[in-house]
Amino acid sequence: MTRLAVFDCDGTLADGQANICRAMEAAFDSAGLAPPPRAAIRRIVGLSLVEAVARLAPDQDPASHLALAEDYKRHFRAMRTGGGLADEPLFDGVREALEQLADSGWLLGVATGKSDRGLALLLEHHGLSRYFVTLQTADRHPSKPHPSMLELAMAEAGADPRDTVMIGDTSFDIAMAAAAGVHPIGVAWGYHSVAELTAAGACHVLDHASALPALAEALCPAPAELRA
């Protein structure tokens, strides 16, 4: 039996909203468009970049969405290389929860709207790379809530949906979990409200990461011989 816990990144593992907001505002400004409110930007965190831009600028055509997405990446890279990128801190209790799950025999993965590069940099910065056996990003998948990320994560880990949990802070994460048939766990410290997560189908919404290992064990208990 393989038990797999898959995490969203921005808003779940780490708080990257300030950098996301700044880069998105710069992209819109470069295109001569009024930047969307930061509250609107925070709500699209978790989607793939082009899908996120399309939601923020619905009156623009697909070519403009692609251009805005590329400009966002350009501004984000410039912030990183120019030293203007603020630290993306881990949320309280996340590191300890990852350690406890790994020590209990869980395999861990990430399913995120970040790029491969962005995710690798964040995991390396926080010394978390060793915990994860499968990393799924927007570079190789349709946007959430399509289940592609979770389906490949389970295939790579050798896990079944009944033994897999998805932990995320947005309704997109919860809808993706439902589409893949895995247990959907919401977190209250991210970008969508508890009411939205519950309405999307979250079986539980956590107030703190310290509660995750026990909940995961309750949803996907280890066989008796492993608990002995």
Side-chain angles (χ1 to χ4, degrees):
M1 174 186 179
T2 298
R3 297 184 296 169
L4 176 65
V6 183
F7 293 81
D8 172 54
C9 186
D10 289 322
T12 301
L13 293 176
D15 185 4
Q17 67 180 23
N19 294 319
I20 291 169
C21 290
R22 290 167 59 204
M24 191 65 75
E25 289 165 348
F28 271 71
D29 188 61
S30 295
L33 300 172
R38 286 202 168 189
I41 297 173
R42 293 187 187 99
R43 288 186 57 79
I44 54 80
V45 172
L47 294 175
S48 296
L49 186 52
V50 175
E51 173 66 17
V53 168
R55 294 200 182 199
L56 292 173
D59 295 335
Q60 301 298 308
D61 58 30
S64 297
H65 294 154
L66 287 171
L68 278 166
E70 288 302 313
D71 215 26
Y72 169 89
K73 290 190 286 187
R74 179 175 64 83
H75 284 289
F76 203 93
R77 284 194 297 268
M79 288 163 55
R80 178 185 294 122
T81 58
L85 196 63
D87 181 37
E88 298 181 6
L90 297 179
F91 287 103
D92 188 43
V94 162
R95 185 183 301 276
E96 293 78 8
L98 295 176
E99 292 173 350
Q100 189 171 340
L101 285 167
D103 289 345
S104 299
W106 284 77
L107 298 183
L108 306 180
V110 177
T112 177
K114 274 187 178 295
S115 66
D116 286 333
R117 176 178 171 81
L119 177 60
L121 286 169
L122 183 137
L123 295 180
E124 181 181 0
H125 174 74
H126 290 292
L128 298 180
S129 301
R130 69 185 187 277
Y131 288 111
F132 298 103
V133 301
T134 179
L135 301 175
Q136 308 302 326
T137 75
D139 286 346
R140 288 166 283 111
H141 292 281
S143 180
K144 300 173 184 179
H146 194 284
S148 174
M149 290 187 192
L150 281 175
E151 289 170 347
L152 186 53
M154 289 187 286
E156 290 185 352
D160 293 327
R162 66 178 178 273
D163 301 316
T164 301
V165 296
M166 173 67 205
I167 304 100
D169 69 297
T170 71
S171 57
F172 315 128
D173 298 311
I174 302 306
M176 177 177 66
V182 311
H183 301 281
I185 300 174
V187 302
W189 55 82
Y191 304 148
H192 285 190
S193 69
V194 172
E196 289 172 299
L197 296 172
T198 301
C203 60
H204 296 273
V205 179
L206 301 175
D207 291 323
H208 192 273
S210 61
L212 175 59
L215 174 59
E217 291 287 341
L219 293 172
C220 306
E225 61 270 20
L226 295 182
R227 297 197 300 270

